[in-house]
Amino acid sequence: MPVNDSGPQSAYATPPVELVQLRTTPPRERADAARNRAAVLDAAAALFREHGVEAVSMEAVAAAAGVGKGTLFRRFGDRSGLATALLDSQERALQEAILFGPAPLGPGPARGPSPSARDRLTAFVEAYLDYLLDHLDLVRVSETAAPGARYRIGAYRFWHRHVSLLLAGRADPAADAHALLATLAAEHVRAVLDDIGADRLRSATLRLANALTTG
């Protein structure tokens, strides 16, 4: 089969069912469980802001939230589980914007002109970097809890599929999507941020995204 070397020229206008199914969904739980969850997440967020994610123990979160340690561990597993839960609403908001929001991050109105794949990929990199830099320590904890943890998180599968769809005109869009997302790994960003700064990091990542969508 011939390979299209011209690069992706257009992006999906209707969100694919597979991508919709990959998006993060809010937990379904009883009212009392939801209240306990909110209390724990509020306490964790406050402690993380005050002391930093790495300095806060699960015991401290349990005490601040007024719940037992056993309850906390059963519900969230560990500190990375807490971080993932705290990021949940921000991830959902970004995913909804990608699926249904205005262009260029989303497909735009049904009757309007569809943004190009390049426009959407650029908008995704910009939006994801905004999210990542605002929550860098939390994302880092969620991605590095265990070897390969980043790639088992449901959100990563969503980001990867979205980028793969935008790179559909390339010879190996799935591999190229992993390559681009590697530059957005929290551990990598944390390691280089002090050296090159946020502006240079953003510019370099956008140049890579542009190269992947250049014919």
Side-chain angles (χ1 to χ4, degrees):
M1 183 176 67
V3 173
N4 178 359
D5 291 324
S6 63
Q9 301 301 314
S10 61
Y12 62 84
T14 302
V17 172
E18 59 179 313
L19 194 59
V20 174
Q21 292 174 338
L22 283 173
R23 64 181 167 171
T24 304
T25 56
R28 296 181 179 180
E29 51 196 356
R30 303 186 316 272
D32 59 335
R35 286 193 295 271
N36 285 339
R37 176 185 175 85
V40 167
L41 294 181
D42 287 347
L47 289 170
F48 289 162
R49 281 194 301 269
E50 183 176 357
H51 303 291
V53 178
E54 298 291 344
V56 176
S57 68
M58 293 290 278
E59 290 79 5
V61 174
V67 301
K69 289 190 296 184
T71 299
L72 185 64
F73 279 101
R74 283 193 299 273
R75 187 66 182 275
F76 296 97
D78 55 19
R79 193 167 48 191
S80 70
L82 271 176
T84 299
L86 281 168
L87 293 168
D88 182 73
S89 62
Q90 286 84 5
E91 289 175 344
R92 284 205 310 273
L94 181 53
Q95 290 169 1
E96 290 297 310
I98 287 169
L99 290 169
F100 308 112
L105 181 59
R111 296 183 181 180
S114 297
S116 69
R118 175 182 291 180
D119 290 340
R120 292 200 66 185
L121 188 60
T122 297
F124 167 73
V125 169
E126 291 273 21
Y128 189 86
L129 276 170
D130 288 343
Y131 154 76
L132 177 62
L133 294 172
D134 283 346
H135 306 92
L136 184 55
D137 289 339
L138 281 176
V139 179
R140 182 169 175 260
V141 167
S142 73
E143 291 184 349
T144 59
R150 180 185 191 220
Y151 307 97
R152 294 191 294 271
I153 297 172
Y156 182 86
R157 294 194 293 273
F158 181 97
W159 313 134
H160 178 260
R161 187 59 187 145
H162 172 58
V163 174
S164 296
L165 289 168
L166 296 180
L167 299 177
R170 294 184 61 81
D172 194 345
D176 289 339
H178 280 307
L180 178 61
L181 290 171
T183 67
L184 298 172
E187 184 77 353
H188 165 73
V189 170
R190 178 70 276 167
V192 304
L193 197 57
D194 289 342
D195 182 34
I196 65 174
D199 290 342
R200 289 175 64 194
L201 172 71
R202 187 181 296 269
S203 296
T205 312
L206 288 170
R207 284 195 298 272
L208 177 57
N210 184 67
L212 289 171
T213 50
T214 297

